[in-house]
Amino acid sequence: MPELPEVETVANGLHKRVAGDRIESVWLGPKKEPLKSLPEEIIGALEGAKIRGVRRVGKHIVFDLRGARSDKGHWIVHLGMTGRMVVSAPQEAIAPHTHAIARLASGRELRFVDPRRFGRLSVVREEFTGPGTEPLTVGLDEFIALFRGRKTPIKAALLNQKLLHGVGNIYADESLFRAGIRPRRHAGRLSRDELKRLHKSLRKVLNEAIRLGGSSVSDYVDADGDEGFFQLRHRVYLRTGEPCFVCKTPIKRIELAGRGMHYCPKCQK
DNA sequence: ATACCGACCTGTCAGC
DNA sequence: TGCTGACAGGTCGGTA
């Protein structure tokens, strides 16, 4: 479900709804995959803590906390492929695959739901900066330097969270199309001009997707339960065999490291 | 250090 | 109707 624009939309929605609220108690489900910190650490950090704010770092949702006794801490949520963070009234039915519930002083509940269990919950004390560089604010020179000397395909480099964090399969494919670059090109062999186009198209695609509330491909919804609209603007992602909007050539799908990638064989060199 | 690949999970949809 | 296989927004650890 979630790449940078979706996580940004969810984090902003959560901030509006729960900033200033207090976590009174926490329930954790029996499955242990979703928990990256020990259950007692999560409960210890969350129970009694005030939510100062909610924001996005990379693909992570960060709840900034002020604990009951500890001064600060952060609740980090990664949604994986199918994770959702929803604000619910207590009487609402518990959805299948609910792994954590935080009961708030306002009477509402924050629920973490994740069928595939690729999502992760953790708590940290220190400031959370994420694994890589923020794609929305990275400057051109720093952007170019990230790829210097790398033999890996540019598509794989865009997905590498230690370089730029927040870019996933949709926005990698879409930004490469708009930059006219084939996904298998070696990252280190792209010209300065090509990287300049990619830098621009990536930020443009991400910002446009944020404006439209993200992409709802199958089940993504934001904190209010609303779908995004950027899927209507996809030019290559999941459009295998359909005509390119620019040149009518059928969009190709190839596999790299077990993941699908989509591109126009004529528009992308 | 770097790069590929399978593993981790469940759900949905198309085809037989 | 029901089975099977392909595919899905992501990351990790083992191996070359």
Side-chain angles (χ1 to χ4, degrees):
Chain A
M1 156 191 343
E3 303 182 31
L4 187 151
E6 292 77 34
V7 180
E8 174 93 11
T9 304
V10 170
N12 289 344
L14 289 171
H15 179 85
K16 279 192 201 124
R17 307 180 105 205
V18 304
D21 214 330
R22 186 177 301 280
I23 299 171
E24 296 207 316
S25 63
V26 173
W27 170 87
L28 298 176
K31 302 284 188 195
K32 53 183 191 296
E33 297 98 330
L35 308 182
K36 210 169 140 193
S37 302
L38 294 171
E40 55 268 29
E41 285 176 346
I42 295 177
I43 289 170
L46 264 51
E47 285 191 346
K50 182 180 176 184
I51 300 171
R52 290 187 293 137
V54 190
R55 63 203 160 96
R56 175 196 64 79
V57 175
K59 289 177 194 169
H60 301 263
I61 299 169
V62 179
F63 291 81
D64 296 312
L65 306 174
R66 187 178 298 120
R69 335 190 194 145
S70 57
D71 33 329
K72 56 174 172 178
H74 309 275
W75 180 22
I76 314 294
V77 179
H78 194 298
L79 297 174
M81 292 270 258
T82 52
R84 297 170 60 176
M85 263 306 229
V86 293
V87 181
S88 306
Q91 64 270 21
E92 284 177 60
I94 309 282
H97 310 292
T98 297
H99 304 298
I101 299 175
R103 301 178 192 90
L104 304 176
S106 60
R108 300 167 301 167
E109 296 181 347
L110 258 176
R111 298 179 183 176
F112 177 65
V113 183
D114 183 15
R116 278 179 84 176
R117 276 180 262 147
F118 287 173
R120 294 290 180 267
L121 306 180
S122 61
V123 290
V124 297
R125 306 226 59 212
E126 65 279 11
E127 187 54 42
F128 181 78
T129 56
T133 302
E134 268 295 329
L136 289 182
T137 50
V138 64
L140 178 61
D141 290 333
E142 193 189 349
F143 183 82
I144 289 172
L146 288 173
F147 304 108
R148 197 164 289 145
R150 295 193 177 267
K151 289 191 190 149
T152 192
I154 184 62
K155 170 72 185 272
L158 285 173
L159 295 179
N160 182 345
Q161 301 297 298
K162 290 186 180 135
L163 301 178
L164 292 168
H165 58 203
V167 183
N169 218 21
I170 294 175
Y171 301 101
D173 278 1
E174 293 297 319
S175 60
L176 285 169
F177 173 81
R178 285 161 176 78
I181 298 168
R182 288 204 186 194
R184 280 222 248 242
R185 293 275 306 281
H186 285 340
R189 297 236 187 97
L190 295 173
S191 69
R192 185 180 170 86
D193 196 53
E194 286 172 322
L195 286 172
K196 196 174 166 183
R197 293 207 309 266
L198 184 57
H199 177 242
K200 192 175 170 186
S201 63
L202 178 61
R203 287 177 310 150
K204 202 169 164 190
V205 161
L206 293 173
N207 278 315
E208 195 185 340
I210 290 169
R211 266 200 301 115
L212 295 178
S215 299
S216 292
V217 173
S218 66
D219 56 4
Y220 162 76
V221 289
D222 67 16
D224 291 323
D226 294 326
E227 295 192 342
F229 291 96
F230 192 74
Q231 67 279 8
L232 304 173
R233 305 282 182 95
H234 292 178
R235 298 190 191 163
V236 287
Y237 182 74
L238 290 188
R239 295 195 63 245
T240 312
E242 294 173 45
C244 171
F245 292 131
V246 175
C247 73
K248 308 280 187 259
T249 303
I251 298 302
K252 254 183 116 162
R253 178 184 186 277
I254 54 177
E255 230 166 81
L256 180 83
R259 318 203 51 182
M261 54 171 109
H262 314 79
Y263 71 101
C264 171
K266 190 168 173 198
C267 294
Q268 292 172 257
K269 313 283 184 202

